[in-house]
Amino acid sequence: LVIGIIIMQLLMVKRGTEDIFFMYKKLLIDNYEKLVENEKKVIHYLLDHSTYFYFTTIREKLVDNSVYFDKGTTLLTPYIIKIIEDLDEWPIDFIGKRDGEVFILLRCCEEVKTIIDNIANVFCLADNMFENIGFIKEDKLLFASITHENIAFFIDPKKSAIAFMKETGVSLF
């Protein structure tokens, strides 16, 4: 966990964005396994309180700009707002970009909940899934995860978000 946070901080310093990121209150998930265990509840909560969500993946996993990791994720394709390939255009700036990685921005809605309910756990890294999922309210990042590091966090969470996470057994620090 500490290594992941240090990497995140170094990337932000390198990109000149550390002042923006560090001026917000961040609460890190202390027990990532509880987040994984409660993934569907947490995703539903985040979808209800966000305007958009995003994930990153490798370009080769997209077919004709359709999301295809397993048969369930293809259903997310109609909800794609934008696929961003240029790192400078990514609306978040705390994760690095691997060769061929793309940022996919999608809209939050009730239909997406049903799709997410039928795909693999989005907080677990797997060859047939995306990684680095996050949630945005209007233009503000609310929640993000860096799946391969088992790191997730809230930025300026409301008391209701903190209470919800506590109810699910997910602790924040």
Side-chain angles (χ1 to χ4, degrees):
L1 177 64
V2 173
I3 292 171
I5 294 167
I6 292 168
I7 291 169
M8 192 167 59
Q9 291 172 347
L10 290 173
L11 287 169
M12 288 182 292
V13 170
K14 180 180 172 192
R15 294 179 61 195
T17 58
E18 69 282 0
D19 292 338
I20 295 168
F21 187 76
F22 289 108
M23 66 195 245
Y24 296 108
K25 178 181 178 185
K26 295 171 298 304
L27 290 179
L28 291 153
I29 304 295
D30 190 29
N31 52 349
Y32 194 85
E33 67 282 352
K34 282 290 188 183
L35 182 69
V36 170
E37 181 182 312
N38 291 287
E39 178 249 2
K40 300 305 181 202
K41 287 182 200 173
V42 172
I43 292 296
H44 280 234
Y45 178 87
L46 292 166
L47 286 168
D48 285 342
H49 293 87
S50 303
T51 311
Y52 312 105
F53 73 104
Y54 71 82
F55 60 85
T56 62
T57 191
I58 301 300
R59 179 56 139 149
E60 288 76 37
K61 291 186 178 181
L62 300 180
V63 178
D64 296 325
N65 288 337
S66 291
V67 181
Y68 186 81
F69 303 99
D70 63 25
K71 60 185 176 185
T73 56
T74 306
L75 300 173
L76 289 171
T77 301
Y79 306 99
I80 294 175
I81 295 168
K82 190 173 186 181
I83 297 173
I84 306 169
E85 297 191 45
D86 184 359
L87 181 62
D88 292 334
E89 294 178 24
W90 285 20
I92 58 162
D93 52 13
F94 58 84
I95 56 176
K97 181 178 186 277
R98 299 175 292 176
D99 286 342
E101 192 167 23
V102 294
F103 183 98
I104 302 173
L105 187 66
L106 302 98
R107 67 183 170 92
C108 295
C109 60
E110 289 299 315
E111 296 82 6
V112 168
K113 284 183 191 176
T114 305
I115 296 166
I116 296 280
D117 283 346
N118 293 299
I119 62 175
N121 193 312
V122 298
F123 297 128
C124 292
L125 188 60
D127 288 338
N128 65 339
M129 281 300 292
F130 47 85
E131 60 179 285
N132 300 333
I133 190 166
F135 294 83
I136 300 167
K137 174 79 173 184
E138 295 160 4
D139 290 330
K140 182 183 171 222
L141 181 65
L142 298 177
F143 174 90
S145 73
I146 304 171
T147 310
H148 67 276
E149 296 286 348
N150 288 350
I151 295 174
F153 56 91
F154 280 91
I155 296 180
D156 283 341
K158 292 185 177 186
K159 288 180 183 179
S160 58
I162 295 169
F164 171 79
M165 295 306 278
K166 188 175 183 178
E167 286 173 23
T168 62
V170 177
S171 57
L172 305 167
F173 73 95

